[in-house]
């Protein structure tokens, strides 16, 4: 075993010891640092200055109580988190997730991923993530509002446009961002637009932010296909999830001539041979906040599979856009056997390590989340730019910027993978691009 390899193994063991039980965090760390062996060999200064060890330890972690009352007056207590991982490249930046599965290990895995993702965008943003173990399902608007207000009371003193800038993630969309921003404004007596992103364009938000993650994943997929002399035109696609990322990934896929035949939520998936009718999905999910099963009631030709595995649907392009570890080794094999040629991760870490191995061994194009879904946070950084200059760009201009950013991300990951001896391996390319940018800044700042 090389010295670098040995060191990486020791760092991983230390992370496991220091963060017991946080399995998603361990998984995310392992995936990144395993790519860094050739980087440590080329840059002994990173090892001397313990850059990897420092990156694996969050700069600060905030855990707070979130008490709130439901519509019947019953009191509930949730736990709020904000893990601020790294601010070498800019203020902490990353979304908030409201989901019952949220605990420190999930927030840390997301925050850790966010460091590298944000660096890959080339924008001046550090990495963070937050959220709460709150379940928004079935809650009324006023319950959501009271929860968001209480959450912000716990967090506001740690935020700021130059300090930490949250945004949305699972369970946090435009409605929640509105309540969170309103409460921040009220408590601090400041109209500080740049303190949160994903705002409505009517009051300081950027056009295209809503669409950005989904559109970005499709742009990244398009670039991966281009390298292989392929395009999205006429391809059959499957997109998991039916939330913010999935909906706008489907929209861009359709605009580029692909056919999306299935999407899902946590209860099951729908299959529509004629192609998913996106207006129906938007109406079910964005307006009615209902279940995807309603799709099959509206379109009789479609089939709904309760608890079904969406990856059994044959397709050429698969975009997992729901949640972590939703695509395992078995499903990966099924996709490859069914003729899938490209997978790009709209969600964060949706593919298990075994699944990633299958894709890489089969030689299909595989775009890891920290590169493929970086369009969302990149457009958040464009929102911060507009807020800082009190400007509002057009949809066309902002989308052009997003498109360029995704093309640059693809090129950087592709070239870096080749430079470090793993041609076409976007996992290695993305990890090294992100890590080196953060490491260089950390070296420049001295031991902090
Ligand atoms: P939404 O809350 O809008 O949608 C989430 C979707 O995933 C829903 O369809 C939801 O189904 C499904 N889902 C969530 N949890 C599970 C689960 N445990 N099992 C099965 N399905 C599940 O979130 P987003 O679309 O914003 O986020 C989706 C993914 O994309 C996440 O991994 C997020 O971290 C990542 N991401 C989001 C970005 C953004 O800008 N929003 C940027 C980059 C990455 P149900 O409604 O039944 O819960
Ligand atoms: O995972 C992510 O990149 C996000 N949820 C978006 C973060 C952001 O700050 O826009």
């Amino acid at each position: 075993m090389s010295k670098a390899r040995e060191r990486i193994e020791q760092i991983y063991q230390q992370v496991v010891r220091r963060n017991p039980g946080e399995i998603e965090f361990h998984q995310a760390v392992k995936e990144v640092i395993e790519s860094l062996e050739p980087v440590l060999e080329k840059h002994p200064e990173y090892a001397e200055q313990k850059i990897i060890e420092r990156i694996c330890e969050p700069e600060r972690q905030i855990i707070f109580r979130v008490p709130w009352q439901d519509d019947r007056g019953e009191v509930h207590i949730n736990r709020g988190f904000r893990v601020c991982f790294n601010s070498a490249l800019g203020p902490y930046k990353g979304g908030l997730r409201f989901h019952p599965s949220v605990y420190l290990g999930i927030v840390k895995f997301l925050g850790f991923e966010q460091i590298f993702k944000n660096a890959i965008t080339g924008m001046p943003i550090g990495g963070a993530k937050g959220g709460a173990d709150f379940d928004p399902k079935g809650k009324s608007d006023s319950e959501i509002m009271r929860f968001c207000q209480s959450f912000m009371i716990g967090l506001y003193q740690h935020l700021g446009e130059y300090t930490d800038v949250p945004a949305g993630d699972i369970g946090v969309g435009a409605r929640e961002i509105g309540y969170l921003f309103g409460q921040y404004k009220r408590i601090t007596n400041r109209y500080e637009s740049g303190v949160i992103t994903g705002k409505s364009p009517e009051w300081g938000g950027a056009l295209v932010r809503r669409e950005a993650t989904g559109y970005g994943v499709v742009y990244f997929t398009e670039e991966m296909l281009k390298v292989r002399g392929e395009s999205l035109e006429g391809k059959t696609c499957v997109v998991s999830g039916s939330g913010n990322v999935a909906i706008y990934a489907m929209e861009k896929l359709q605009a580029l001539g692909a056919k999306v035949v299935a999407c899902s939520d946590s209860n099951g998936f729908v299959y529509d041979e004629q192609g998913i009718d996106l207006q129906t999905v938007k109406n079910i999910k964005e307006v009615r906040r209902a279940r995807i099963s309603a799709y099959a009631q509206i379109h009789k030709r479609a089939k709904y599979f309760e608890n079904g595995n969406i990856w059994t649907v044959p397709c050429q392009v698969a975009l997992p856009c729901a949640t972590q570890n939703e695509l395992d080794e078995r499903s990966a094999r099924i996709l490859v056997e069914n003729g899938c040629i490209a997978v790009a991760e709209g969600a964060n870490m949706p593919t298990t390590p075994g699944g990633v191995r299958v894709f890489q061994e089969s030689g299909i194009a595989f775009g890891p989340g920290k590169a493929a879904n970086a369009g969302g946070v990149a457009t958040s950084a464009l929102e911060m730019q507009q807020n800082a200059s009190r400007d509002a760009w057009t949809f066309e201009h902002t989308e052009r910027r997003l498109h360029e950013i995704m093309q640059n991300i693809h090129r950087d990951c592709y070239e870096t993978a080749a430079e470090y001896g793993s041609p076409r391996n976007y996992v290695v390319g993305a990890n090294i691009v992100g890590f080196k940018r953060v490491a260089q800044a950390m070296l420049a700042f001295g031991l902090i």
Side-chain angles (χ1 to χ4, degrees):
M1 204 191 288
S2 77
K3 236 174 131 179
R5 177 94 244 132
E6 218 171 287
R7 186 177 192 105
I8 284 165
E9 184 53 34
Q10 281 165 3
I11 295 172
Y12 176 68
Q13 291 308 333
Q14 170 77 352
V15 166
V16 171
R17 266 198 305 277
R18 214 181 229 168
N19 305 275
E22 297 174 4
I23 48 175
E24 296 84 1
F25 178 46
H26 305 165
Q27 182 184 335
V29 168
K30 190 170 191 186
E31 190 253 331
V32 170
I33 69 179
E34 276 183 345
S35 303
L36 300 180
E37 189 179 342
V39 183
L40 284 190
E41 273 162 3
K42 220 167 168 173
H43 295 273
E45 67 277 19
Y46 294 159
E48 273 155 34
Q49 291 302 317
K50 302 212 168 153
I51 297 291
I52 303 182
E53 289 89 328
R54 276 197 261 162
I55 289 183
C56 289
E57 185 64 19
E59 290 177 10
R60 67 182 196 198
Q61 308 183 54
I62 301 150
I63 302 182
F64 51 101
R65 180 169 69 199
V66 189
W68 60 281
Q69 251 179 328
D70 68 22
D71 289 343
R72 292 168 312 158
E74 193 183 329
V75 170
H76 299 266
I77 310 297
N78 283 99
R79 185 173 287 180
F81 301 89
R82 186 74 179 165
V83 174
C84 299
F85 242 107
N86 196 290
S87 59
L89 293 175
Y92 303 117
K93 184 83 197 87
L96 298 172
R97 176 177 292 191
F98 292 169
H99 193 272
S101 64
V102 166
Y103 78 107
L104 196 52
I106 297 259
V107 183
K108 271 199 206 159
F109 116 65
L110 290 163
F112 185 77
E113 284 284 292
Q114 202 81 44
I115 308 172
F116 307 99
K117 183 197 302 192
N118 294 6
I120 291 166
T121 66
M123 315 293 283
I125 41 180
K129 202 80 182 195
D133 58 356
F134 169 72
D135 188 357
K137 279 205 192 80
K139 304 293 187 295
S140 70
D141 261 2
S142 21
E143 288 172 330
I144 297 286
M145 180 186 74
R146 286 196 295 279
F147 180 80
C148 289
Q149 292 179 337
S150 182
F151 184 88
M152 188 48 92
I153 286 177
L155 191 60
Y156 82 96
Q157 57 190 319
H158 306 289
L159 305 182
E161 62 176 320
Y162 298 111
T163 308
D164 183 2
V165 183
D169 193 80
I170 291 179
V172 178
R175 173 181 61 169
E176 291 74 19
I177 296 293
Y179 294 142
L180 290 164
F181 180 69
Q183 184 74 341
Y184 182 86
K185 182 173 85 58
R186 181 186 189 204
I187 313 169
T188 59
N189 192 36
R190 283 165 64 86
Y191 203 111
E192 190 185 334
S193 297
V195 74
I196 197 163
T197 61
K199 301 180 294 294
S200 162
E202 288 150 19
W203 40 271
L207 291 168
V208 191
R209 176 62 190 89
R210 179 182 60 182
E211 293 82 359
T213 311
Y215 281 17
V217 180
V218 176
Y219 286 143
F220 191 90
T221 309
E222 206 184 16
E223 293 302 307
M224 292 199 300
L225 290 175
K226 243 189 242 168
V227 166
R228 293 161 180 253
E230 288 272 7
S231 81
L232 280 165
E233 176 82 43
K235 295 285 184 300
T236 300
C237 308
V238 166
V239 177
S240 67
S242 50
N244 174 262
V245 179
I247 286 177
Y248 293 95
M250 292 194 268
E251 185 167 283
K252 188 51 83 181
L253 283 172
Q254 292 179 346
L256 294 176
K259 182 176 175 189
V260 184
V261 294
C263 67
S264 63
D265 63 18
S266 58
N267 293 104
F269 75 88
V270 281
Y271 173 72
D272 187 340
E273 202 181 4
Q274 288 180 26
I276 293 285
D277 172 18
L278 199 53
Q279 210 41 55
T280 303
V281 177
K282 283 186 182 179
N283 189 40
I284 294 169
K285 288 294 171 184
E286 295 183 338
V287 182
R288 291 169 50 201
R289 296 182 189 276
R291 310 308 304 158
I292 202 65
S293 55
Y295 186 98
Q297 286 154 9
I298 296 163
H299 296 292
K300 299 292 178 205
R301 61 175 189 263
K303 278 205 191 86
Y304 174 67
F305 297 84
E306 180 87 13
N307 294 323
N309 179 358
I310 192 171
W311 309 120
T312 58
V313 176
C315 64
Q316 291 151 300
V317 173
L319 305 183
C321 296
T323 194
Q324 63 276 352
N325 292 327
E326 56 163 312
L327 201 174
D328 63 8
E329 187 172 340
R330 201 181 129 256
S331 298
R333 280 192 208 291
I334 296 172
L335 280 169
V336 172
E337 276 160 23
N338 282 340
C340 182
I341 58 167
V343 176
E345 297 185 324
N348 286 306
M349 208 169 77
T351 316
T352 63
V356 175
R357 219 175 302 121
V358 169
F359 291 143
Q360 289 185 328
E361 283 168 9
S362 72
I364 73 163
F366 175 71
K370 64 173 79 62
N373 73 37
V377 76
T379 308
S380 278
L382 299 179
E383 182 169 329
M384 291 162 73
Q385 257 184 55
Q386 291 167 75
N387 292 153
S389 58
R390 297 178 187 277
D391 198 359
W393 305 346
T394 63
F395 194 96
E396 291 68 27
H397 174 73
T398 318
E399 196 188 354
R400 209 174 315 121
R401 292 286 306 265
L402 168 65
H403 197 169
E404 282 165 15
I405 289 168
M406 295 314 297
Q407 289 175 323
N408 293 343
I409 290 174
H410 174 273
R411 186 204 55 215
D412 290 350
C413 295
Y414 187 85
E415 288 178 357
T416 303
E419 184 191 335
Y420 281 87
S422 301
R424 292 191 173 203
N425 185 331
Y426 294 99
V427 174
V428 166
N431 289 338
I432 295 181
V433 170
F435 174 77
K436 279 182 68 182
R437 287 185 185 155
V438 177
Q440 281 307 117
M442 288 176 73
L443 278 182
F445 295 153
L447 184 54
I448 53 171

